[in-house]
Amino acid sequence: MFQRSYETVFILTPVLSDVQMKDTVDKFVNLLKEEGADVINVENWGLKKMAYPIEKKTTGFYVLVEFKADPTVIRKFELEFRRDEKVMRFLTTVLDKHAIVYAERRRKGEFNKKAEAKEEQA
């Protein structure tokens, strides 16, 4: 089975409670695992202001999921996004070798140098 690296960012409606939001994220992560995907990382970016309103809402819960999966899994995964009324937008991208290296470095926190420098000064 041929696996590629993917990254999906999706925006959930802001009217959800924290529990509902976490349940929805778990639903999508479990769907990936059931289809044989390796979930590498799940990041909850929290409630963010959007650049433009979607469905008359100006904020949304942003979630990033990094995973390795067979390309046939993506169709089922995105179909579930389209069916779920809690999802306002989603985007799945294939990661090339440079994006994979960048994602690994981001997970390790190499790009948080400004935050680390402020902590050291305090």
Side-chain angles (χ1 to χ4, degrees):
M1 187 172 352
F2 175 69
Q3 289 197 333
R4 295 180 112 175
S5 295
Y6 294 95
E7 179 178 85
T8 299
V9 176
F10 56 97
I11 306 172
L12 299 174
T13 183
V15 297
L16 301 175
S17 69
D18 285 342
V19 174
Q20 290 172 318
M21 189 263 308
K22 289 175 185 171
D23 288 344
T24 305
V25 171
D26 289 342
K27 177 182 107 174
F28 290 116
V29 170
N30 290 335
L31 174 73
L32 284 172
K33 290 179 181 176
E34 288 169 6
E35 294 294 329
D38 298 327
V39 177
I40 299 168
N41 186 29
V42 178
E43 290 181 20
N44 181 1
W45 293 346
L47 189 66
K48 300 273 186 188
K49 186 170 178 7
M50 295 185 284
Y52 57 90
I54 300 173
E55 301 171 7
K56 298 183 181 179
K57 295 174 178 69
T58 57
T59 59
F61 288 105
Y62 281 69
V63 179
L64 169 88
V65 179
E66 294 175 56
F67 59 97
K68 286 186 178 185
D70 189 71
T72 58
V73 172
I74 301 305
R75 183 172 286 143
K76 292 178 184 176
F77 188 51
E78 290 188 347
L79 181 63
E80 285 301 316
F81 279 128
R82 288 184 183 95
R83 287 180 176 167
D84 196 331
E85 60 190 28
K86 298 172 194 161
V87 177
M88 296 194 302
R89 290 284 191 277
F90 65 92
L91 178 67
T92 301
T93 55
V94 179
L95 301 179
D96 64 358
K97 63 182 180 181
H98 303 292
I100 293 169
V101 170
Y102 177 83
E104 288 172 2
R105 291 179 63 198
R106 184 178 44 78
R107 282 193 303 268
K108 291 178 184 174
E110 290 185 27
F111 302 115
N112 295 334
K113 302 249 183 225
K114 292 179 185 176
E116 291 174 8
K118 288 180 183 177
E119 290 175 6
E120 290 175 5
Q121 291 175 354

